[in-house]
């Protein structure tokens, strides 16, 4: 409710009376988001980000705010301390916005209420869009749905001559809402054999140390971009003679990564207990408030939150000069209207013409036009 930049020590009065939201899958979505932004800039890519986990809304709301897109559509949620306070206050609050990527998120069309369609939408976006890369995060709970299980076979229809590419990212954080997920419980060998049987080349990115996993993810994505370009170059110069094994990533990180390890003596990070708000009872539990203060202090001392206006700017400075156009232009969120599942959150990290066809998305000046 107040003190968004943590200028003062966190107090009960700064916090909403009732905390609602979802945390468990959000760190993984943030992690993928920033790595996609890096390869977009480094390799000059056109990328659409499709998010499958239904309860990953906080990550996408946060990133669209940091990019500036949120403030474009909602000027009152400005990119300064006052706007940050408004954003925090309205999140999962009466009269505000939900904890899903719902209609209020920039570019979103609707939310629906069923998981399992993100990979289908990802392949649909790539068909006949030869310059497009679609990165699609599949949640491990979502992966147990029939629709998603069948969608893995969509790679059989992808033609590297005329189509773009899809990069599935299976995020195994180990748990669904309240129980263990199936794919996180089988051996690495069995998991690898399963997806090789589906026709993919799986790359494993695993760990719980953020610095190490960041390095591993960066190297893996660079290699995958090279492999995708090689597949497409060969097919487009010599003809499409056999179906390639397209790369995919199996990302294994803890549920609620970087959150509290334990709350009230119970394991939280790496457990189903981190699915929603790990420290939800700040008003009545002094220990929860102490833990929240410690986390806030760590964020401040580590430079994650800075006590100035630039703290609200993310990777893009306000009015900064000398930046590339796709660094200045914000991305947008989009949900397809056709099926309307809760899982299919689209983020156009570099302005793509496919999203620019939506009347509320302005076409990026440097984006290549994608045939309708």
């Amino acid at each position: 409710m107040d003190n968004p930049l943590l200028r003062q020590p966190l107090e009960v009065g700064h916090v909403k009376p009732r905390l609602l939201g979802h945390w468990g899958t959000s760190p993984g979505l943030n992690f993928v988001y920033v790595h996609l932004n890096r390869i977009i800039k480094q390799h000059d890519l056109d990328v659409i980000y499709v998010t499958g986990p239904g309860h990953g809304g906080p990550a996408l709301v946060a990133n669209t705010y940091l990019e500036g897109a949120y403030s474009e559509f909602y000027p009152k949620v400005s990119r300064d301390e006052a706007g940050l306070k408004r954003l925090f206050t309205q999140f999962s609050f009466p009269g505000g916005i939900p904890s899903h990527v719902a209609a209020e998120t920039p570019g979103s069309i609707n939310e629906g209420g069923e998981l399992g369609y993100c990979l289908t939408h990802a392949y649909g976006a790539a068909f006949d869009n030869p310059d497009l890369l679609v990165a699609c995060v599949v949640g491990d709970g979502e992966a147990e749905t029939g629709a998603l299980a069948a969608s893995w076979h969509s790679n059989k229809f992808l033609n590297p001559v005329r189509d773009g590419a899809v990069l599935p990212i299976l995020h195994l954080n180990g748990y669904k809402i309240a129980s263990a997920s199936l794919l996180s419980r089988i051996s690495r060998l069995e998991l690898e054999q399963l997806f090789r049987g589906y026709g993919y080349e799986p790359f494993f990115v695993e760990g719980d140390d953020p610095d190490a996993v960041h390095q591993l993810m960066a190297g893996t994505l660079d290699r995958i971009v090279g492999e995708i370009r090689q597949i497409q170059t060969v097919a487009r110069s010599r003809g499409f003679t056999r179906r390639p094994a397209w790369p995919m990533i199996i990302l294994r990180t803890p549920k609620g990564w970087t959150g509290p390890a334990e709350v009230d003596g119970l394991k939280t990070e790496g457990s189903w207990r981190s699915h929603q708000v790990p420290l939800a009872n700040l008003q009545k539990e002094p220990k929860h408030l102490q833990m929240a203060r410690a986390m806030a202090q760590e964020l401040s001392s580590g430079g994650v939150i800075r006590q100035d206006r630039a703290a609200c700017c993310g990777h893009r400075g306000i009015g900064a000069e000398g930046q590339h156009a796709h660094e200045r232009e914000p991305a947008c969120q989009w949900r397809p209207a056709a099926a309307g599942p809760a899982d299919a959150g689209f983020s156009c990290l570099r302005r793509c013409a496919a999203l620019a066809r939506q009347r509320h998305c302005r076409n990026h000046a440097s984006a290549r036009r994608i045939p309708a």
Side-chain angles (χ1 to χ4, degrees), residues 139-158:
D140 50 359
E142 172 192 27
E144 298 178 16
T145 65
L148 197 288
S151 298
W152 292 111
H153 295 286
S154 300
N155 60 354
K156 278 72 172 177
F157 302 97
L158 200 66

Side-chain angles (χ1 to χ4, degrees), residues 105-148:
T105 309
S108 178
I109 296 175
N110 57 19
E111 181 178 10
E114 183 180 356
L115 295 172
Y117 302 99
C118 66
L119 205 51
T120 299
H121 287 302
Y123 277 99
F127 292 147
D128 297 319
N129 290 331
D131 297 322
L132 185 64
L133 172 62
V134 186
C136 178
V137 177
V138 177
D140 50 359
E142 172 192 27
E144 298 178 16
T145 65
L148 197 288

Side-chain angles (χ1 to χ4, degrees), residues 4 13 36 60 62 118 144 156 194 217 230 265 285 294 341:
L36 292 178
L60 300 180
C118 66
E144 298 178 16
K156 278 72 172 177
L194 173 66
M217 185 67 163
Q230 177 68 15
E285 291 289 344

Side-chain angles (χ1 to χ4, degrees), residues 155 158-160 199-201 231-232 235 240-247:
N155 60 354
L158 200 66
N159 186 328
Y200 294 93
E201 180 185 2
I231 289 171
Q232 293 175 334
F240 180 26
T241 58
R242 58 180 298 180
R243 179 166 52 86
W246 292 97

Side-chain angles (χ1 to χ4, degrees), residues 118-246:
C118 66
L119 205 51
T120 299
H121 287 302
Y123 277 99
F127 292 147
D128 297 319
N129 290 331
D131 297 322
L132 185 64
L133 172 62
V134 186
C136 178
V137 177
V138 177
D140 50 359
E142 172 192 27
E144 298 178 16
T145 65
L148 197 288
S151 298
W152 292 111
H153 295 286
S154 300
N155 60 354
K156 278 72 172 177
F157 302 97
L158 200 66
N159 186 328
V161 175
R162 64 170 182 263
D163 300 327
V166 175
L167 174 60
I169 303 172
L170 175 63
H171 187 203
L172 299 181
N173 61 29
Y175 293 89
K176 297 171 284 190
I177 293 176
S179 61
S181 59
L182 186 139
L183 290 180
S184 67
R185 291 299 184 263
I186 66 178
S187 70
R188 175 170 173 161
L189 176 60
E190 186 178 356
L191 199 60
E192 180 178 1
Q193 291 173 336
L194 173 66
F195 285 100
R196 287 194 183 279
Y198 282 151
Y200 294 93
E201 180 185 2
F203 290 79
F204 286 82
V205 176
E206 302 172 291
D208 58 9
D209 176 60
D211 289 340
V213 182
H214 273 296
Q215 292 297 322
L216 181 57
M217 185 67 163
T220 299
L221 281 173
D222 284 339
R223 180 177 173 184
I224 284 174
V225 169
E227 290 203 6
I228 289 174
R229 283 179 165 170
Q230 177 68 15
I231 289 171
Q232 293 175 334
T233 298
V234 170
R236 293 170 188 180
S237 61
R238 304 177 188 174
F240 180 26
T241 58
R242 58 180 298 180
R243 179 166 52 86
W246 292 97

Side-chain angles (χ1 to χ4, degrees), residues 23-24 26-28 30 208-211 214 253-261 269-270 278 295 298-299:
W23 168 245
S26 295
N30 287 335
D208 58 9
D209 176 60
D211 289 340
H214 273 296
T253 59
K255 191 177 182 79
W257 196 19
T258 70
E269 182 188 33
M295 294 177 64
E298 184 178 356
L299 291 173

